[in-house]
Amino acid sequence: MRNLYTHPRRLPLIAPSILSADFANMGQECRQVLDAGADSLHVDVMDGHFVPNLTMGPDMCRALRRAIPDVFIDVHLMVADPGGFIEPFVEAGANHITFHIEVTAPENVAGLAARIREAGATAGLALNPPTPVDAVLPHVDSLDLILVMSVNPGFSGRAFIPAVLEKARDLEPLVSSLQRIQIDGGIKPSNVQSVRESGVDLIVAASAVFGVPPVKRAEVIGVLRGTQALP
Ligand code: DX5
Ligand code: ZN
């Protein structure tokens, strides 16, 4: 299946995570970052079990789809039971769903990815900083993207863990031009160059984008993408 995430890209894609948006003005915040050049919206779903925080569910996805009909919605499931949420999120408008290897038995990865595609979205597999890259290597061919977590998930604004870039370097020769290497956590204008150089071509950022005033966001997105120099 082809969508924005599975077309060959020359430039990295930028996916602002709405976790750092102003929740009281969500529609306006999302339209603003898309107007500022963002490629998609990254929706961080946390269940209070896999990670020690609670965020949002399919209803947020549905509201975004209704408010911005053509937006690409990238759902990151940080939940203990990803299988329970695939159809609800795709029916609510998700274009892409990523689940975690830490809560998925190796023999179930391909099946979950197939279910995501049958529902109508593309599929990603995430690994946390302590998880070795070997855990995802056998599954690369079944997925549209691998998400290398660069913080321990749960909250925005945590410090980037540079050692995870080694995993992106290991993955880079193994993915096709139709597959992405995504990174998520602590990405800032000050560290993004090393991230892009590691082979990452899909960059999630919450606080770096939503934590600056709206008028500065186009510049931040350009710097993250590498099309604009550091201010
Ligand atoms: C990790 C989430 C991330 C996080 C990124 O808990 O999956 O998407 O919110 O936030 P920043 O970019 O602020 O580190
Ligand atoms: Zn995320």
Side-chain angles (χ1 to χ4, degrees):
M1 121 170 294
R2 289 277 189 283
N3 64 23
L4 174 72
Y5 277 7
T6 51
H7 272 282
R9 308 295 308 180
R10 280 186 306 114
L11 291 172
L13 296 169
I14 308 301
S17 160
I18 65 170
L19 194 53
S20 288
D22 175 0
F23 276 34
N25 289 300
M26 188 56 85
Q28 196 184 319
E29 287 273 83
C30 290
R31 280 192 202 91
Q32 198 275 325
V33 292
L34 292 163
D35 287 347
D39 297 291
S40 62
L41 296 174
H42 181 83
V43 175
D44 281 312
V45 178
M46 304 188 187
D47 68 348
H49 293 279
F50 181 63
V51 288
N53 196 5
L54 288 169
T55 56
M56 44 200 128
D59 287 341
M60 173 64 84
C61 191
R62 199 179 332 276
L64 293 173
R65 172 61 61 224
R66 195 177 302 136
I68 314 174
D70 59 349
V71 69
F72 189 96
I73 301 177
D74 164 358
V75 172
H76 177 191
L77 292 179
M78 287 163 280
V79 303
D81 175 26
F85 293 97
I86 290 170
E87 288 79 9
F89 271 102
V90 179
E91 280 159 22
N95 301 97
H96 173 87
I97 296 190
T98 293
F99 56 97
H100 271 258
I101 188 66
E102 293 83 7
V103 288
T104 310
E107 63 272 23
N108 294 337
V109 170
L112 269 190
R115 255 179 70 197
I116 292 171
R117 293 206 185 98
E118 274 157 32
T122 46
L125 184 62
L127 73 167
N128 280 339
T131 303
V133 73
D134 295 358
V136 301
L137 293 183
H139 308 297
V140 168
D141 291 348
S142 330
L143 278 308
D144 298 297
L145 75 79
I146 302 294
L147 167 51
V148 177
M149 290 302 301
S150 41
V151 298
N152 287 304
F155 301 90
S156 303
R158 288 182 159 172
F160 176 65
I161 302 171
V164 305
L165 294 184
E166 200 54 44
K167 298 185 212 179
R169 285 187 208 104
D170 290 342
L171 286 162
E172 204 267 338
L174 306 178
V175 298
S176 80
S177 64
L178 306 180
Q179 292 172 300
R180 304 276 80 82
I181 302 175
Q182 186 176 41
I183 201 156
D184 184 5
I187 307 302
K188 311 269 176 236
S190 56
N191 59 26
V192 72
Q193 190 175 347
S194 61
V195 169
R196 290 194 310 264
E197 285 169 0
S198 73
V200 166
D201 58 1
L202 174 49
I203 295 168
V204 177
S207 49
V209 173
F210 285 107
V212 300
V215 31
K216 296 236 173 233
R217 291 174 184 167
E219 186 179 18
V220 169
I221 289 168
V223 172
L224 294 178
R225 204 193 300 282
T227 51
Q228 232 171 298
L230 266 176

